[in-house]
Amino acid sequence: MDEFMKLAISEARKGLKEGGIPIGSVLVKDGKVVSHGHNKRVQENNPILHGEMDCLNNAGRIGSYRNTVIYSTLMPCYMCAGTIVQFKIPKVIVGESRTFSGARAFMEEHGVEVVDLDLAECKKMMEDFIKEKPELWNEDIMEL
């Protein structure tokens, strides 16, 4: 596992410790970390502050995203995938997609390369969270 996914996992664990949903993200440009973030929907009472959105918000204005890669511990949802497509981020590397299949096909249909690492660590973190807090998870994915 590379250092960027390790940082994304660290962000997810930080969110979990804060009482939130354990999804972390890292934005890399030209091999260097530009920003990182984690899901803060619960912590900041903000329905759109998913891990990828927090990460991109923390990046600020960086001009072009064409030479970037975004890492996420979980396959992005349609909202985050739409932002990835809109910003023309060419590559997404995810920790897993078994607990949430997300919007992989949508991103690929729009030219985004999606790499699913299928990491046991990411899968276990989400499975444990979903088991412990199903109502919070269902709220996050709009399945209430």
Side-chain angles (χ1 to χ4, degrees):
M1 182 184 336
D2 70 29
E3 65 183 294
F4 306 126
M5 184 53 73
K6 286 180 183 175
L7 180 56
I9 291 170
S10 174
E11 282 290 324
R13 293 196 185 287
K14 182 177 179 182
L16 184 61
K17 285 180 186 173
E18 295 170 352
I21 299 159
I23 303 169
S25 185
V26 174
L27 183 67
V28 176
K29 186 171 186 174
D30 299 322
K32 295 184 175 86
V33 173
V34 173
S35 66
H36 46 85
H38 55 275
N39 187 304
K40 293 180 181 170
R41 291 185 70 251
V42 174
Q43 301 92 311
E44 296 193 15
N45 196 32
N46 183 332
I48 64 170
L49 207 47
H50 287 195
E52 300 89 344
M53 302 300 268
D54 184 48
C55 179
L56 291 168
N57 185 57
N58 291 337
R61 294 179 60 212
I62 66 167
S64 174
Y65 291 82
R66 291 181 194 270
N67 294 324
T68 63
V69 176
I70 193 162
Y71 287 73
S72 180
T73 57
L74 187 64
M75 186 66 70
C77 69
Y78 279 93
M79 176 181 68
C80 296
T83 303
I84 289 164
V85 168
Q86 179 68 32
F87 285 11
K88 296 181 176 39
I89 296 172
K91 187 173 186 177
V92 177
I93 300 178
V94 299
E96 66 103 357
S97 63
R98 291 180 190 247
T99 59
F100 181 72
S101 60
R104 180 181 190 144
F106 171 80
M107 290 185 288
E108 290 176 336
E109 288 166 4
H110 288 86
V112 177
E113 179 186 355
V114 179
V115 177
D116 185 347
L117 301 176
D118 196 27
L119 298 173
E121 183 176 3
C122 292
K123 184 177 161 208
K124 179 163 178 21
M125 184 168 34
M126 285 307 303
E127 285 175 340
D128 290 350
F129 176 78
I130 292 166
K131 184 178 178 183
E132 292 170 17
K133 297 188 177 180
E135 70 291 338
L136 193 54
W137 173 243
N138 286 328
E139 176 189 335
D140 192 64
I141 60 171
M142 296 297 131
E143 293 292 332
L144 288 178

